[in-house]
Amino acid sequence: MLQATSGAPDALATPAAHFAPLAPARPVPPPRKALPGRPARPARRPRRVTALAAGFLLALVGLGTGVVAPAAPARAAALPGLKEAGRSGDRLTVAVRDAGGPDRTYTLVCRPAGGDHPDAERACATLDRQTRWGKDTFAPVPPDGPCTMQYGGPATARVTGTWAGRPVDARFDRSNGCEIARWDGLVPLLPDLRAGGRRS
């Protein structure tokens, strides 16, 4: 026969091994001893969160609430093109002499094209194509450049005024191959004197 044992039944008995031992509380270090002539400093408390971790937590909170940090400012807009720069001061006077007809002086205004130049729209378009930032559209021929020894006639021209914000005072002739090419590059601002070309 089984004998009854005193105490709680086995079903209610809970072995002590089932309980994990509680970790002992971390002791707080004692305050430092005071040095002679100096008061004792309290013990340092362990830092819970560093500044880096705090920033990370704030970022996570912002993402969770739908708050997004503002994006970096966009880069400065690129400089506008010549046609969009609103150069209302572009105005040129073209004086042509000895070009095979009566001497003439024209006025050219661009944006919008106007003046009494015989082909103002095409002249403005040609100048726009020839114009680059940092480059003089009416620059003279370099004095040390090689040029063919050919003569294009006695025609001369002088262009004065303002273009692309710069004052202009340029002279043209057809005394050699370089000067002829420079003249022809600005047709129809200057009259077309090439063989079979249209004269203005």
Side-chain angles (χ1 to χ4, degrees), residues 7 23-24 44 47 52 61 79 90 94 141 151 162 178 180 200:
R44 293 184 180 179
R47 296 181 181 178
L52 180 60
V61 171
L79 291 175
D90 290 345
V94 183
V141 173
Y151 182 65
T162 303
C178 295
I180 293 172
S200 299

Side-chain angles (χ1 to χ4, degrees), residues 47-191:
R47 296 181 181 178
R48 295 183 178 180
V49 182
T50 63
L52 180 60
F56 181 71
L57 290 176
L58 289 176
L60 289 178
V61 171
L63 291 176
T65 57
V67 178
V68 180
R75 294 182 179 179
L79 291 175
L82 293 174
K83 294 182 180 180
E84 293 80 14
R87 300 185 341 239
S88 58
D90 290 345
R91 184 184 183 90
L92 298 173
T93 300
V94 183
V96 181
R97 303 287 180 265
D98 302 321
D103 295 344
R104 296 288 303 272
T105 299
Y106 307 111
T107 300
L108 176 68
V109 180
C110 296
R111 275 163 301 280
D116 60 357
H117 190 283
D119 199 349
E121 290 188 5
R122 289 182 60 235
C124 290
T126 297
L127 287 174
D128 279 334
R129 287 194 302 270
Q130 298 287 341
T131 302
R132 300 288 184 275
W133 291 114
K135 177 183 177 182
D136 184 0
T137 309
F138 304 92
V141 173
D144 55 349
C147 299
T148 58
M149 300 301 294
Q150 63 184 110
Y151 182 65
T156 62
R158 183 180 181 186
V159 180
T160 57
T162 303
W163 182 259
R166 296 181 177 181
V168 177
D169 188 355
R171 298 176 184 273
F172 297 83
D173 61 46
R174 300 176 66 82
S175 58
N176 59 46
C178 295
E179 295 291 356
I180 293 172
R182 179 174 173 243
W183 180 299
D184 293 345
L186 289 178
V187 172
L189 175 69
L190 302 179

